[in-house]
């Protein structure tokens, strides 16, 4: 049985910062092909696209930067590192 | 100076480049502040990972005796895979592990705190859990950083803030990364236990390790591949794939890893293992041509931020390069401190030193490699060709005899002899 991404993220140590989404998406972006590529690209599977709405949850982010490199200025409106001490904390890396 | 706190140098990022530089500068008597956004040293750092040891050996001879390395790599394997077959080349040799030439599997979460500890012992000051929000400029001149809302001042700032160096971008020293020149790596740490690893990978002791690369089916034909390194009691198992290729075939990078785990060559090796961490990290693989501006008045860029990583096809190499960049940045800053001059003219010695070192020589030498690797035939067709040749060689069921040469040529012709020759020559040329 393949592990789900949620299962995998559940193994990591995170300090969630609910007050500060370090990545924001552009809801008025409409190129479906591009959006689907971003949904596919995220290793943490944090993006979704349903009924014309781009879903994104910054909690669980592995802070890799793939979405920004792929679609910065398009689907990804802003991208920053989480505030100090917040976000993922790798124990092994 | 006034009563504001002021350092000789602020290092942004406690990775290999930052920690190496901090150690050498503190040892030379400079006042060094290292700012790390993770709560603990190494908390944001990820490798594949195997480290070529030679550049750290120069600074800490015999470091592996003391440092928390995982295993010394004494066995190299490369597999060309189709969905259910693998053609594997293995090279096992004690000389792979010779002092000064050895490579080690490492986990950054274990290793980086050791290196930072050395810098701290030498007198560098560390603050963790603080993000550097921006480089502090006065009249267009770099004078420090703004971190956690506070201004901090230094004569020079060393940006060692990793592959997503927003700070080098802020200063216009680095462009946004190009998806054609960047790959994403996705990795699991799978705990298996020392004994099982020794048994399954034929290691005589828990000191000996295997590095393994997987090409072909893993990436579904996209530019990319899988990797496996044996750690002390766990495996680093992952894939790397070029970002520009995402969406080219219907296979997400995160699913490539599951595909690798399910492959009949890999599945028995990880059976009974427990995944204990899941990580992702960018890998710059554009080579020499994507190196950003490395120095300006009062600022230097080192490490992953400077894109000092090489994708050689059979391995990705970066940690030895970034350690060397940290060392050369430190030497440059120490000399600048002596001269009391942190202008671009003085700091340009960093670039000159890098150019004269193995770092840029190797980056230039392999500068054709990124282009060569973009060839999809390598990932789509050659593993299948290997499969056909090998199955013809090894499978006997009383069939009519056909000369092996003819059988092999049938497989080769599917790819095209000219393509094979051309790719072969290009591959050799890129080496």
């Amino acid at each position: 049985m393949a592990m789900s991404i949620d299962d995998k993220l559940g193994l990591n140590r995170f300090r969630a910062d609910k007050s500060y989404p370090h990545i924001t998406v552009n809801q008025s972006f409409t190129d479906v092909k591009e959006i689907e590529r971003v949904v596919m690209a995220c290793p943490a599977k944090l993006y979704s696209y349903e009924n014309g709405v781009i879903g994104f949850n910054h909690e669980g982010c592995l802070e890799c930067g793939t979405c920004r490199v792929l679609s910065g200025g398009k689907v990804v409106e802003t991208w920053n590192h989480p505030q100090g001490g917040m976000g993922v904390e790798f124990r092994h890396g | 100076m006034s009563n504001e706190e002021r350092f000789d140098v602020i290092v942004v990022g406690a990775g290999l480049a930052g920690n190496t530089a901090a150690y050498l500068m503190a040892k030379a008597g400079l006042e060094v502040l290292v700012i790390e956004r993770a709560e603990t040293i190494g908390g944001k750092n990820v490798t594949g990972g195997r480290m070529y040891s030679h550049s750290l050996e120069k600074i800490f001879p015999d470091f592996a005796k003391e440092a928390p390395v995982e295993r010394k790599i004494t066995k190299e394997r490369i597999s060309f895979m189709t969905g259910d077959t693998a053609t594997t080349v293995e090279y096992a040799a004690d000389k792979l592990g010779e002092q000064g030439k050895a490579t080690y599997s490492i986990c950054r979460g274990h290793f980086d705190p050791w290196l930072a500890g050395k810098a701290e012992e030498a007198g560098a000051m560390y603050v963790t859990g603080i993000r550097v929000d921006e480089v502090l400029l006065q009249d267009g001149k770099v004078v420090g950083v703004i971190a956690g809302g506070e201004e901090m001042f230094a004569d020079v700032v060393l940006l060692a803030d990793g592959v997503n160096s927003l700070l080098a971008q802020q200063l216009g020293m680095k462009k946004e990364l190009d998806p054609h020149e960047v790959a994403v790596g996705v990795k699991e740490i799978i705990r298996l236990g020392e004994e099982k690893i020794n048994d399954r990978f034929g290691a005589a002791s828990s000191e000996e390790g295997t590095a393994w690369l997987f090409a072909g089916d893993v990436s579904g034909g996209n530019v990319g591949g899988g990797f496996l390194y044996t750690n002390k009691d766990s495996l680093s198992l992952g894939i790397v794939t070029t970002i520009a290729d995402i969406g080219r075939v219907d296979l997400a990078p995160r699913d490539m890893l599951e595909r690798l785990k399910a492959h009949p060559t890999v599945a028995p090796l990880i059976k009974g293992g427990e995944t204990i961490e899941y990580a992702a990290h960018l890998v710059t693989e554009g080579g020499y041509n994507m190196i950003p501006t490395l120095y300006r008045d009062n600022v230097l860029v080192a490490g992953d931020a400077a894109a000092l990583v090489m994708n050689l096809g059979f391995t990705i190499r970066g940690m030895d390069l970034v350690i060397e960049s940290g060392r050369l940045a430190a030497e440059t800053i120490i000399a600048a401190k002596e001269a009391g001059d942190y202008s671009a003219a003085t700091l340009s010695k960093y670039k000159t030193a890098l150019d004269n070192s193995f770092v840029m020589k190797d980056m230039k030498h392999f500068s054709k490699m990124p282009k060569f690797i973009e060839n999809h035939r390598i990932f789509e067709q050659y593993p299948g060709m290997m499969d056909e040749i090998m199955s013809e060689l090894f499978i006997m069921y009383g069939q009519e005899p056909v000369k092996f040469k003819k059988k092999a040529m049938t497989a080769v012709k599917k790819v095209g002899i000219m393509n094979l020759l051309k790719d072969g020559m290009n591959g050799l040329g890129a080496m």
Side-chain angles (χ1 to χ4, degrees):
Chain A
M1 257 280 285
M3 277 178 86
S4 76
I5 295 298
D6 277 347
D7 289 343
K8 293 186 189 188
L9 294 177
L11 303 168
N12 288 353
R13 185 181 293 168
F14 288 101
R15 263 184 79 192
D17 189 348
K18 293 195 187 302
S19 64
Y20 174 67
H22 63 283
I23 298 170
T24 58
V25 300
N26 178 5
Q27 285 296 351
S28 57
F29 193 80
T30 53
D31 179 347
V32 174
K33 221 173 158 189
E34 176 77 12
I35 296 166
E36 282 173 350
R37 277 184 88 197
V38 175
V39 170
M40 183 185 260
C42 177
K45 212 176 177 177
L46 299 177
Y47 291 85
S48 62
Y49 187 60
E50 273 169 51
N51 308 320
V53 178
I54 305 170
F56 175 71
N57 179 4
H58 70 279
E59 290 170 38
C61 178
L62 299 169
E63 301 167 31
C64 64
T66 305
C67 61
R68 188 195 78 250
V69 171
L70 183 63
S71 200
K74 291 184 264 179
V75 176
V76 177
E77 195 162 58
T78 62
W79 193 100
N80 207 332
H81 303 290
Q83 295 287 358
M86 306 306 272
V88 70
E89 191 82 14
F90 295 114
R91 289 155 298 159
H92 306 285
Chain B
M1 284 312 301
S2 62
N3 53 8
E4 78 201 6
E5 199 170 4
R6 189 182 177 87
F7 294 87
D8 290 322
V9 48
I10 291 175
V11 178
V12 185
L16 292 172
N19 289 331
T20 300
Y23 167 73
L24 292 169
M25 293 188 295
K27 200 167 146 240
L30 274 65
E31 286 185 31
V32 182
L33 173 67
V34 183
I35 307 175
E36 167 57 46
R37 67 187 181 88
E39 201 171 7
T40 53
I41 303 287
K44 302 289 183 183
N45 305 351
V46 178
T47 177
R50 164 240 295 265
M51 182 168 78
Y52 292 78
S53 65
H54 61 112
S55 50
L56 197 56
E57 281 281 337
K58 276 193 266 188
I59 302 166
F60 299 106
D62 246 351
F63 70 89
K65 286 202 175 123
E66 176 196 339
V69 297
E70 300 297 321
R71 291 174 185 245
K72 183 194 275 187
I73 304 300
T74 53
K75 209 175 273 181
E76 305 273 354
R77 286 180 183 162
I78 300 176
S79 289
F80 298 91
M81 287 175 160
T82 64
D84 58 354
T85 74
T87 306
T88 302
V89 180
E90 174 174 306
Y91 180 64
D94 286 343
K95 65 182 166 192
L96 285 170
E98 272 175 24
Q99 169 87 34
K101 297 176 187 163
T103 71
Y104 297 95
S105 54
I106 67 168
C107 293
R108 298 288 298 277
H110 311 165
F111 191 84
D112 291 17
W114 171 81
L115 190 53
K118 289 286 172 193
E120 262 186 315
E121 275 170 33
M125 186 189 286
Y126 277 74
V127 291
T128 59
I130 306 278
R131 183 183 79 178
V132 173
D133 305 315
E134 54 185 286
V135 177
L136 181 60
L137 299 166
Q138 278 176 4
D139 303 322
K141 194 175 146 225
V142 174
V143 295
V145 299
I146 301 175
E150 259 183 73
E151 293 185 343
M152 302 182 185
F153 294 87
D155 287 327
V156 61
V157 175
L158 176 60
L159 299 179
D161 52 337
V163 66
N164 291 303
S165 177
L166 301 181
L167 301 177
Q169 286 186 19
Q170 178 210 333
L171 296 178
M173 297 173 80
K174 188 176 179 176
K175 290 182 300 195
E176 180 54 278
L177 300 166
D178 174 347
H180 290 274
E181 295 184 330
V182 185
V184 54
V186 180
K187 179 181 91 160
E188 282 180 33
I189 299 278
I190 302 173
R191 186 183 286 146
L192 204 53
E194 282 186 37
E195 247 175 74
K196 266 191 189 154
I197 292 174
N198 296 348
D199 291 347
R200 291 183 188 182
F201 293 88
S205 77
S206 301
E207 310 297 311
E208 293 181 7
T210 295
W212 198 336
L213 196 103
F214 307 96
D217 179 73
V218 181
S219 60
N222 280 0
V223 175
F227 60 84
L228 182 156
Y229 299 97
T230 57
N231 301 320
K232 196 63 93 188
D233 70 348
S234 68
L235 307 176
S236 288
L237 182 69
I239 64 95
V240 176
T241 188
T242 300
I243 291 180
D245 264 5
I246 294 173
R248 182 179 165 272
V249 296
D250 189 22
L251 183 63
R254 54 183 180 261
D255 296 330
M256 291 179 188
L257 179 50
E258 284 305 315
R259 190 152 157 152
L260 178 62
K261 286 166 70 182
H263 193 280
T265 298
V266 176
L269 297 173
I270 61 173
K271 195 177 166 202
E274 180 200 0
T275 298
I276 54 173
E277 191 168 84
Y278 180 60
H281 199 270
L282 295 185
V283 184
T284 52
E285 47 184 20
Y288 185 73
N289 300 320
M290 73 178 298
I291 294 172
T293 304
L294 294 169
Y295 64 91
R296 285 247 181 102
D297 287 342
N298 309 90
V299 61
L300 291 173
V301 183
D304 218 357
L308 298 176
V309 182
M310 289 157 55
N311 184 351
L312 301 180
F314 56 91
T315 189
I316 289 173
R317 181 182 152 198
M319 292 189 278
D320 58 327
L321 309 181
V322 307
I323 287 167
E324 188 72 0
S325 79
R327 185 176 79 81
L328 297 175
E331 281 185 355
T332 305
I333 292 171
I334 292 165
K337 160 87 177 169
E338 276 167 18
D341 173 15
Y342 296 93
S343 66
T346 303
L347 297 183
S348 70
K349 287 178 191 133
Y350 170 52
K351 169 91 170 35
T352 311
L354 269 178
D355 281 338
N356 292 329
S357 74
F358 75 89
V359 176
M360 293 302 192
K361 284 179 183 163
D362 282 4
M363 295 281 288
K364 276 185 195 161
H365 184 76
F366 291 103
S367 60
K368 285 184 187 157
M369 195 51 98
K371 202 86 213 148
F372 171 68
I373 293 169
E374 275 181 32
N375 179 353
H376 285 104
R377 269 195 296 277
I378 300 171
F379 305 93
E380 280 177 330
Q381 295 184 20
Y382 291 139
M385 183 185 87
M386 299 289 277
D387 171 36
E388 278 194 47
I389 293 172
M390 291 299 152
S391 62
E392 289 297 346
L393 187 61
F394 291 114
I395 298 175
M396 307 292 161
Y397 54 95
Q399 72 271 46
E400 287 292 313
V402 181
K403 279 206 168 122
F404 177 68
K405 187 177 158 195
K406 193 176 168 197
K407 292 176 182 171
M409 283 311 288
T410 310
V412 168
K413 275 179 186 156
K414 281 190 189 162
V415 176
I417 294 171
M418 286 312 289
N419 283 337
L420 191 63
L421 284 173
K422 197 171 71 186
D423 294 341
M425 289 309 290
N426 284 343
L428 286 173
M431 298 286 282

